[in-house]
Amino acid sequence: MDLFRYPRAALGVAVAALLLAGCSDSSPSKPAPSTGSSSSPSTSAAPTTSAPAAGAPADQAAAKQQIEKNWAVFFDPKTPTDDKVKVLENGNTLRPLLALFSGDKNATQAKAKVTAVAFTSATSATVTYDLMVGTTTALPGSKGTSVLQDRTWKVSVKSLCALVALSGNAAAPGC
């Protein structure tokens, strides 16, 4: 199927793939500029020596890096449900929803690539990402949110439930 030739089908495949891969936000929109700077890979947040910007985490570079990593983990179809739960806000509550979609073959082709992170407070951020189905960008410039929960930047329930609603499943468990 040519996803660009059949945009409604592409959206359906993309939404199904996202749901099956772990889910994200609603309709695509233009990317927001990144307010964080890139940094070298690290697994823990190092203290910053300068004062944080108002409404942003103390170490924006480390927070941005963790958001990018956790979104990649969440949207990776090879990631086990238990690991997706760890990077999803209130993940244990949404485990039944994730389990519903874990066996679908369309999920094996879906991935998300974070293209920008804009902090809206010290505990939340707007995430701009491209949804990929195979090598095709199905939903470019999509918006989602990350929240800081239990000292971890997680994909928000809001993002997951918005995509579930977009797919026509407004009564999904946990949403």
Side-chain angles (χ1 to χ4, degrees), residues 71-139:
W71 276 65
V73 165
F74 187 72
F75 283 96
D76 185 340
K78 295 176 184 167
T79 300
T81 299
D82 285 345
D83 292 339
K84 289 179 190 250
V85 163
K86 293 175 187 174
V87 296
L88 175 63
E89 178 188 21
N90 303 328
N92 279 321
T93 302
L94 292 166
R95 181 184 294 275
L97 179 60
L98 295 176
L100 285 174
F101 299 108
S102 65
D104 190 288
K105 65 180 181 176
N106 291 328
T108 62
Q109 296 182 45
K111 294 215 182 230
K113 181 181 186 307
V114 173
T115 58
V117 175
F119 294 100
T120 55
S121 76
T123 59
S124 66
T126 299
V127 178
T128 305
Y129 64 96
D130 293 335
L131 172 68
M132 308 295 292
V133 178
T135 58
T136 303
T137 302
L139 294 174

Side-chain angles (χ1 to χ4, degrees), residues 15-169:
V15 169
L18 271 178
L19 288 172
L20 302 171
C23 303
S24 177
D25 201 359
S26 62
S27 62
S29 57
K30 298 205 182 227
S34 174
T35 58
S37 61
S38 61
S39 67
S40 61
S42 168
T43 56
S44 65
T48 181
T49 57
S50 61
D59 188 341
Q60 291 182 48
K64 179 179 183 251
Q65 181 182 14
Q66 188 179 68
I67 289 168
E68 290 171 346
K69 176 185 172 218
N70 289 348
W71 276 65
V73 165
F74 187 72
F75 283 96
D76 185 340
K78 295 176 184 167
T79 300
T81 299
D82 285 345
D83 292 339
K84 289 179 190 250
V85 163
K86 293 175 187 174
V87 296
L88 175 63
E89 178 188 21
N90 303 328
N92 279 321
T93 302
L94 292 166
R95 181 184 294 275
L97 179 60
L98 295 176
L100 285 174
F101 299 108
S102 65
D104 190 288
K105 65 180 181 176
N106 291 328
T108 62
Q109 296 182 45
K111 294 215 182 230
K113 181 181 186 307
V114 173
T115 58
V117 175
F119 294 100
T120 55
S121 76
T123 59
S124 66
T126 299
V127 178
T128 305
Y129 64 96
D130 293 335
L131 172 68
M132 308 295 292
V133 178
T135 58
T136 303
T137 302
L139 294 174
S142 298
K143 297 283 186 178
T145 55
S146 276
V147 295
L148 186 63
Q149 183 181 56
D150 301 326
R151 299 173 49 165
T152 300
W153 284 95
K154 300 181 178 186
V155 175
S156 72
V157 170
K158 175 183 168 184
S159 296
L160 173 66
C161 292
L163 188 60
V164 170
L166 181 63
S167 74
N169 293 315

